[in-house]
Amino acid sequence: MQLPRIIVNRKAALILFIIGLMLCVLPELIGVSAVAAKPFLHSLTEIPVPDMLALPLIFGIPAAMIGFCTKRKYNAAIYGACLGQCQFLLPFILYFLLTPDADALEVFWRMCCGMPLTASVAGAVYTLRQLKISKK
């Protein structure tokens, strides 16, 4: 069995990584605790949406757009993982370095909104789009 050759645009992956980093920091500024269980940055405003509802939407919507726009097989999941890489790593790093007294389950939930969520959503949307195209 031969593994498929996956061709990834490095510039697109880097841009998605930077967008993912901005999606980690910007919610902290509007009051959604995206990276740490305790507020890490001083928020400019407070929004009434709970963190556990806003965070999957913040990362799920761009991941769905990635899955819809990707043209090659397997690239949707890879680009989705590039988008969610910072959200996967930053809560883990901050939990062990800065806020060790935080709730580990909340940190795990924030980590799951990173690579696992974005890669699976992007891959699922790509697959659904391919199924819809092949039925025509």
Side-chain angles (χ1 to χ4, degrees):
M1 183 172 121
Q2 190 174 12
L3 294 174
R5 181 174 169 90
I6 300 172
I7 301 170
V8 178
N9 186 348
R10 290 184 213 149
K11 288 181 183 178
L14 179 64
I15 290 169
L16 288 170
F17 179 80
I18 293 169
I19 290 171
L21 180 64
M22 288 189 305
L23 287 176
C24 287
V25 175
L26 292 178
E28 293 278 345
L29 295 176
I30 62 170
V32 175
S33 183
V35 182
K38 293 181 177 180
F40 183 65
L41 298 172
H42 178 67
S43 65
L44 300 175
T45 62
E46 282 293 325
I47 60 171
V49 179
D51 300 342
M52 300 305 168
L53 289 176
L55 201 54
L57 289 175
I58 290 171
F59 283 94
I61 293 171
M65 292 184 335
I66 289 169
F68 189 72
C69 296
T70 304
K71 292 182 174 64
R72 289 193 198 116
K73 195 174 186 181
Y74 302 113
N75 280 9
I78 293 170
Y79 289 145
C82 290
L83 177 73
Q85 188 173 9
C86 285
Q87 182 61 31
F88 185 74
L89 295 174
L90 285 178
F92 180 75
I93 292 169
L94 288 176
Y95 174 68
F96 282 107
L97 295 180
L98 298 177
T99 58
D101 57 336
D103 186 18
L105 186 60
E106 286 188 18
V107 173
F108 178 73
W109 174 252
R110 284 172 175 78
M111 286 174 59
C112 286
C113 288
M115 281 195 299
L117 175 76
T118 55
S120 61
V121 167
V125 169
Y126 174 79
T127 304
L128 290 174
R129 185 179 65 115
Q130 289 301 105
L131 286 174
K132 186 176 179 183
I133 290 172
S134 66
K135 285 189 178 186
K136 284 184 178 180

